[in-house]
Amino acid sequence: MSIQTVGIVGAGQMGNGIAHVFALAGYDVVLNDLSQDSLNKALALIDKNMVRQVDRGSVSASDKDAAQKRISTTLTLTDLGQTDLVIEAATEKEAVKQAIFEDLTPHLKPETILTSNTSSISITRLASRTDRPEKFMGFHFMNPVPIMQLVELIRGIATDEPTFKACSDVVDRLGKTSATSEDFPAFIVNRILMPMINEAIYTLYEGVGSVTSIDTSLKLGANHPMGPLELADFIGLDTCLAIMNVLHDGLADTKYRPCPLLTKYVEAGWLGRKTKRGFYDYRGETPVPTR
């Protein structure tokens, strides 16, 4: 199963990073989004991030230029139909993902592999809504994609071995490392990471420590590069809440109950860095704790 062309649905935080690494690895990329503004921002961010790599000496200027020429953009989802591999990187809402697959699958080549970058939703359930559950799997990149080395590969109950092997080979060509997860809520990374973040929010909610003391404690006491509240803001509090809800609903265990304070921040629209306010306020020169 030879993969040369890759279609990416969604040009946001994850989609632009995925396009970046595939183009650098020599794949032809078609990047799709609903908004031309989102596509323009994605291309600008890809250029900015590649310039950083050139400045650091990890990518040559000629490789950067060649990679950028491999990326084309489209507002028409069905333009991805002739690609060999499709990676859906839309918002973490199951109904949105299902609608994308229903619109796209009639236009795919019979051999095209269809994947989702979902961080928590059942791969088996998503695959069941397509015409190719045997050629469907989870392809979960970590954020920021150009920097993080891990890719979680998640097989649905119907995923066949050639599909898994093809995706595993792609990860190798990207220069990243794959970890194989069974199809259970939130897979491996977020099954462990999100409850830790949720517990940090409970620690704040219950007044055990302030935002600063909690993040400082984990950075200096556990050698984490980011404190859990800072990390939550980076990921997006809406994404954190969505994953906690998937864990709580899917595993029916009260230890996964989302902290009410997390819900309150999302209700306020304080989603972290992307809205300039979360557990920190990012509207000034330096982030300031909001509690």
Side-chain angles (χ1 to χ4, degrees):
M1 213 175 273
S2 177
I3 294 172
Q4 300 300 328
T5 57
V6 181
I8 300 167
V9 184
Q13 192 174 38
M14 296 303 294
N16 76 71
I18 295 169
H20 175 141
V21 298
F22 270 91
L24 273 179
Y27 293 95
D28 291 321
V29 175
V30 184
L31 182 61
N32 163 259
D33 202 278
L34 294 171
S35 156
Q36 186 62 49
D37 184 55
S38 295
L39 291 171
N40 293 342
K41 285 179 179 176
L43 292 176
L45 187 56
I46 290 168
D47 180 68
K48 179 181 176 182
N49 289 336
M50 285 188 182
V51 165
R52 285 179 181 166
Q53 290 177 305
V54 171
D55 290 344
R56 289 199 302 265
S58 59
V59 171
S60 70
S62 60
D63 284 347
K64 168 190 172 293
D65 292 341
Q68 287 181 295
K69 289 175 184 175
R70 293 188 194 104
I71 303 172
S72 61
T73 62
T74 180
L75 295 171
T76 306
L77 180 64
T78 54
D79 286 348
L80 275 54
Q82 293 306 301
T83 58
D84 303 320
L85 168 68
V86 172
I87 303 171
E88 171 274 313
T91 186
E92 192 69 354
K93 293 180 180 176
E94 188 165 349
V96 172
K97 295 178 185 297
Q98 287 178 346
I100 288 167
F101 296 138
E102 286 170 6
D103 288 346
L104 181 59
T105 50
H107 303 275
L108 296 177
K109 297 186 297 182
E111 65 272 21
T112 297
I113 294 174
L114 191 54
T115 69
S116 176
N117 184 58
T118 179
S119 52
S120 61
I121 298 168
S122 168
I123 298 303
T124 298
R125 196 163 62 240
L126 289 174
S128 72
R129 303 295 293 271
T130 76
D131 64 348
R132 62 195 66 214
E134 73 287 346
K135 293 187 181 301
F136 190 104
M137 65 181 294
F139 210 163
H140 181 215
F141 289 82
M142 305 295 123
N143 185 37
V145 180
I147 294 171
M148 301 296 279
Q149 288 300 301
L150 183 72
V151 181
E152 283 183 316
L153 295 179
I154 307 100
R155 293 189 234 216
I157 196 169
T159 306
D160 64 24
E161 187 59 29
T163 297
F164 176 81
K165 179 68 167 58
C167 289
S168 179
D169 289 346
V170 167
V171 176
D172 290 343
R173 182 169 159 184
L174 295 177
K176 296 188 181 293
T177 301
S178 62
T180 306
S181 171
E182 294 300 316
D183 185 21
F184 287 97
F187 318 130
I188 295 172
V189 172
N190 284 317
R191 172 76 176 261
I192 297 167
L193 176 64
M194 284 301 158
M196 183 200 77
I197 288 174
N198 196 52
E199 191 62 27
I201 300 169
Y202 265 114
T203 306
L204 177 65
Y205 177 61
E206 293 168 5
V208 179
S210 66
V211 168
T212 300
S213 61
I214 291 166
D215 277 353
T216 300
S217 294
L218 268 293
K219 283 192 284 189
L220 302 185
N223 206 28
H224 290 189
M226 272 189 190
L229 302 175
E230 182 185 4
L231 180 56
D233 276 357
F234 180 76
I235 294 167
L237 303 191
D238 52 340
T239 301
C240 293
L241 179 59
I243 295 169
M244 287 309 302
N245 280 326
V246 166
L247 281 165
H248 192 229
D249 295 344
L251 298 171
D253 192 323
T254 56
K255 73 180 180 180
Y256 298 116
R257 183 171 68 96
C259 179
L261 184 60
L262 173 58
T263 302
K264 190 64 66 181
Y265 268 66
V266 173
E267 288 174 345
W270 292 19
L271 308 181
R273 286 179 179 266
K274 60 188 173 185
T275 59
K276 304 295 186 185
R277 276 194 292 188
F279 292 110
Y280 293 85
D281 188 325
Y282 300 92
R283 293 173 296 175
E285 288 186 16
T286 56
V288 177
T290 54
R291 289 179 81 84

